[in-house]
Amino acid sequence: MNRITQLFDTKREGILSVYFTAGYPALNRTQAILEALQSQGVDMAEIGIPFSDPMADGPVIQQAATQALRNGMSLHRLFEQLGDIRQTIRMPLVLMGYLNPVMQYGFEAFCRSCEAVGVDGVIIPDLPFADYLSHYKDTAAAHGLKVIMLITPETSDDRIRLIDTHTSGFIYMVSSASVTGAQRDFDEAKQAYFRRIRAMNLQNPCLVGFGISNRATFDAAAGNASGAIIGSKFVQLLGETASPDEAVRQLLKAIR
């Protein structure tokens, strides 16, 4: 069974998924970061594929992607780093990146490499949903990959239900239509959006991402979904602390 499915079958609330950019702050830190996340109880990890034009990301992740590329990170190198990762890492792993590097690698080859190293799902924010249905869904499914789709406060109910019908794993609830980045709290409009999605009783679980950085935002997300995704805050801590273990400790302290 896919590890994402196993996670949501065994844990229904309070799930914490943490994003980091592969190759940042140092090229060969991927395994150490994953081991630090797993050892301190994080439920799932999202590994960012650095790209030169990360249009959905705020300044923290943009800077991390730029540094990662300068460090020599590429999709080929990332798969090399993940080659033996399942010897130590049991948590679900999701690759998150833009369509351009995936297409340069070749979508079927990408899916094949994901399966070979034990990646469970992919998030490609700029992959049009119609293209996913017509060109990519079957290929991903043949390699056991969950393709996770994003929704925003502007996504219509009809489109959300279409996404819910044609995907599995979980739905990524973007907290706002802006780019990634930490927020102090969520205003009433965002919380009304969370409640609206919760009331739809979707078949897929949802995780809230963008802006989760402290206890208030984590609790607001976890109270209206199966859990939360944290990215910018953790990437920032990776750049400021001496080790991945310390970055994870500070992150957990901030949200609990």
Side-chain angles (χ1 to χ4, degrees):
M1 181 185 293
N2 184 282
R3 295 175 192 85
I4 296 172
T5 303
Q6 289 179 325
L7 171 62
F8 286 99
D9 281 350
T10 57
K11 188 172 182 178
R12 301 301 177 93
E13 59 184 21
I15 289 173
L16 173 59
S17 181
V18 175
Y19 167 97
F20 67 95
T21 303
Y24 177 84
L27 178 61
N28 296 314
R29 200 70 69 85
T30 302
Q31 181 167 338
I33 293 171
L34 290 172
E35 289 176 351
L37 291 168
Q38 179 171 273
S39 68
Q40 297 187 56
V42 172
D43 298 298
M44 181 162 58
E46 296 178 17
I47 306 169
I49 304 164
F51 181 50
S52 57
D53 187 24
M55 59 186 177
D57 294 309
V60 171
I61 295 178
Q62 286 185 17
Q63 186 274 329
T66 298
Q67 186 60 53
L69 292 172
R70 288 174 180 164
N71 290 344
M73 180 52 71
S74 67
L75 192 47
H76 286 276
R77 183 158 291 183
L78 176 57
F79 281 128
E80 289 176 0
Q81 292 182 351
L82 296 176
D84 297 321
I85 205 67
R86 285 304 178 189
Q87 293 184 14
T88 56
I89 300 300
R90 301 174 303 279
M91 69 169 72
L93 298 179
V94 176
L95 292 190
M96 185 171 186
Y98 293 88
L99 190 58
N100 184 284
V102 172
M103 295 308 293
Q104 287 187 11
Y105 193 92
F107 188 77
E108 186 166 6
F110 172 77
C111 293
R112 191 164 53 246
S113 293
C114 285
E115 182 180 25
V117 301
V119 168
D120 305 287
V122 297
I123 301 171
I124 306 175
D126 56 341
L127 173 61
F129 185 62
D131 289 355
Y132 157 73
L133 288 178
S134 60
H135 299 301
Y136 303 111
K137 179 181 178 180
D138 290 345
T139 301
H143 293 281
L145 281 178
K146 306 291 187 184
V147 179
I148 309 304
M149 288 289 166
L150 283 68
I151 63 172
T152 76
E154 284 70 40
T155 307
S156 69
D157 286 6
D158 287 346
R159 186 170 181 83
I160 292 169
R161 293 202 182 279
L162 189 65
I163 289 171
D164 189 44
T165 298
H166 292 284
T167 64
S168 61
F170 67 94
I171 292 175
Y172 192 131
M173 281 177 62
V174 178
S175 66
S176 70
S178 63
V179 297
T180 58
Q183 300 178 34
R184 293 184 60 186
D185 54 34
F186 289 132
D187 60 23
E188 175 55 31
K190 291 185 179 66
Q191 299 209 41
Y193 158 61
F194 298 159
R195 293 193 294 269
R196 168 194 154 213
I197 302 303
R198 186 178 185 183
M200 292 180 71
N201 294 314
L202 302 174
Q203 65 181 9
N204 280 301
C206 294
L207 295 179
V208 177
F210 286 42
I212 315 293
S213 64
N214 55 26
R215 183 172 180 177
T217 49
F218 182 81
D219 286 351
N224 291 282
S226 294
I229 300 163
I230 299 179
S232 296
K233 177 69 173 179
F234 184 59
V235 172
Q236 178 183 346
L237 289 169
L238 284 171
E240 295 174 348
T241 55
S243 71
D245 290 290
E246 180 60 25
V248 177
R249 279 193 290 270
Q250 290 196 25
L251 176 69
L252 296 179
K253 182 179 179 181
I255 65 171
R256 292 174 177 170

